[in-house]
Amino acid sequence: MTDAPLPKPRGPLSAALLAALRGADTPRPPADADPYGDDLQLALYLLYELHYLGLDGVPDDREWDPGLLALRAGLESRFLESLRADVPVEACATVMEELDGLQLEPVGEVEGSLSHFLRDHGTLGHFREYAALRSLYHLKEADPHAWVIPRLRGRAKAAMVAVEFDEFGAGRADEIHARLFADLMADLGLDTTYGHYLDDAPAEALATVNLMSLFGLHRALRGALVGHFATVEITSSPASRRLAEALRRMGAGPAAVRFYTEHVEADAVHEQVVRHEVVAGLLADEPGLESDMVFGIRATGHLEDRLAGRLLPRWRQGQSALRGDRVTQDGEPLPV
């Protein structure tokens, strides 16, 4: 992996930020930017990327530039306020009831599920688009969640480290899940360069990644991060099974199928560890964080629903769901 290349701007905010990253004055957070829009989500994604592998041509010390941090704080505040308004948490809500709800598998046709659509109706072109968009997270899989480890204690910390150890390949570089996803991409004929598909990713895809960074970088949101992590682990195994079935039906190669079959087994185990040790352990240590965990679960579902709402209507109409001027050929989305 190398520093992510700088993308094209998507509005005045991201244009001003890109200029600032090249040495111009840092802009002030705009008061009227759409919290879910392309301009704000791209700007936030770039500011977060300074805390990961960095950005091409941007000095490492810009990670802690006071002006950039102030801009990030303003954009985070707007994003977080909108999320809290869209997914309110009742005083009586419990995290275990929320997790129970995630385990209920729907029967029959599921209108808004990406994994069900890809399994039952998707083409290889659809899956290439899906993998290209998910690469913005999966090529750094487990990294956003690792930030919560020093903010946990006892049972929750030990269990979180155990799950993350598996995500990072259990000590083997070739088994790191980010490496396995790169193998999947190569099998599908995609470019495996870190951040390569950033310009193709709509705001809805960026928001799902930004949510993890937002939760991970703030100690005050550690409960929300654990809620997000629990959601990912509990929903991953059944969704991964459907995606593996989709790839087999499409005739994809073994490396592509392996990424998801690996998650079927591993995340079925992780689900129990996360529920009974990470979540229950954090609740025992800090019961006041329960509503934050519920918020993390609901915010994750909200943004995943928004992403499905972007992709599925376009796929069903024979269109590409990626940004830009891509066209379709014989009803098949063009390979990325």
Side-chain angles (χ1 to χ4, degrees), residues 181-247:
F181 194 80
D183 295 341
L184 172 148
M185 295 178 71
D187 212 338
L188 296 178
L190 297 171
D191 192 310
T192 63
T193 305
Y194 184 80
H196 179 79
Y197 294 103
L198 180 54
D199 278 325
D200 296 296
E204 293 85 354
L206 299 182
T208 64
V209 186
N210 286 339
L211 185 72
M212 289 181 275
S213 300
L214 170 65
F215 289 166
L217 283 167
H218 291 271
R219 183 178 180 277
L221 295 172
R222 62 195 181 280
L225 189 283
V226 168
H228 180 284
F229 185 66
T231 304
V232 170
E233 295 300 326
I234 286 175
T235 59
S236 174
S237 184
S240 293
R241 182 177 293 107
R242 290 189 286 270
L243 294 172
E245 291 171 2
L247 287 167

Side-chain angles (χ1 to χ4, degrees), residues 270-288:
H270 292 171
E271 168 196 324
Q272 297 302 313
V273 176
V274 171
R275 172 189 276 269
H276 297 295
E277 298 300 324
V278 179
V279 171
L282 183 56
L283 277 175
D285 284 340
E286 299 186 85

Side-chain angles (χ1 to χ4, degrees), residues 50 58-66 68-69:
L50 296 174
V58 179
D60 288 346
D61 60 6
R62 298 301 301 281
E63 178 183 7
W64 301 111
D65 180 278
L68 294 177
L69 291 175

Side-chain angles (χ1 to χ4, degrees), residues 7-225:
K8 299 174 184 176
R10 303 188 187 182
L13 170 60
S14 53
L17 172 59
L18 286 164
L21 292 172
R22 296 183 177 101
D25 292 339
T26 303
R28 295 175 60 84
D32 57 350
D34 178 359
Y36 296 128
D38 274 299
D39 200 19
L40 184 144
Q41 288 298 326
L42 177 60
L44 199 51
Y45 184 93
L46 292 174
L47 289 165
Y48 285 143
E49 202 59 37
L50 296 174
H51 299 288
Y52 290 103
L53 293 183
L55 296 166
D56 188 31
V58 179
D60 288 346
D61 60 6
R62 298 301 301 281
E63 178 183 7
W64 301 111
D65 180 278
L68 294 177
L69 291 175
L71 174 61
R72 197 191 88 193
L75 302 183
E76 286 177 328
S77 177
R78 189 156 178 78
F79 184 33
L80 188 57
E81 287 173 4
S82 295
L83 286 170
R84 291 198 184 280
D86 290 339
V87 288
V89 177
E90 308 84 9
C92 61
T94 70
V95 66
M96 291 305 178
E97 288 177 350
E98 295 289 321
L99 298 181
D100 288 342
L102 294 177
Q103 291 184 302
L104 297 176
E105 275 290 288
V107 178
E109 188 76 14
V110 180
E111 184 67 21
S113 167
L114 290 170
S115 62
H116 281 86
F117 175 87
L118 289 168
R119 182 193 65 184
D120 298 335
H121 311 292
T123 66
L124 199 55
H126 293 135
F127 214 108
R128 287 191 180 105
E129 291 196 359
Y130 178 78
L133 296 179
R134 289 299 196 189
S135 71
L136 299 180
Y137 162 57
H138 280 305
L139 290 182
K140 57 172 171 266
E141 186 174 352
D143 291 349
H145 296 133
W147 274 317
V148 83
I149 292 172
R151 295 160 181 165
L152 301 176
R153 296 176 294 182
R155 287 169 57 197
K157 174 176 279 193
M160 189 77 190
V161 170
V163 175
E164 288 283 273
F165 181 66
D166 286 347
E167 300 287 343
F168 287 120
R172 293 182 55 188
D174 60 339
E175 295 294 321
I176 293 175
H177 285 190
R179 177 68 259 170
L180 297 182
F181 194 80
D183 295 341
L184 172 148
M185 295 178 71
D187 212 338
L188 296 178
L190 297 171
D191 192 310
T192 63
T193 305
Y194 184 80
H196 179 79
Y197 294 103
L198 180 54
D199 278 325
D200 296 296
E204 293 85 354
L206 299 182
T208 64
V209 186
N210 286 339
L211 185 72
M212 289 181 275
S213 300
L214 170 65
F215 289 166
L217 283 167
H218 291 271
R219 183 178 180 277
L221 295 172
R222 62 195 181 280
L225 189 283

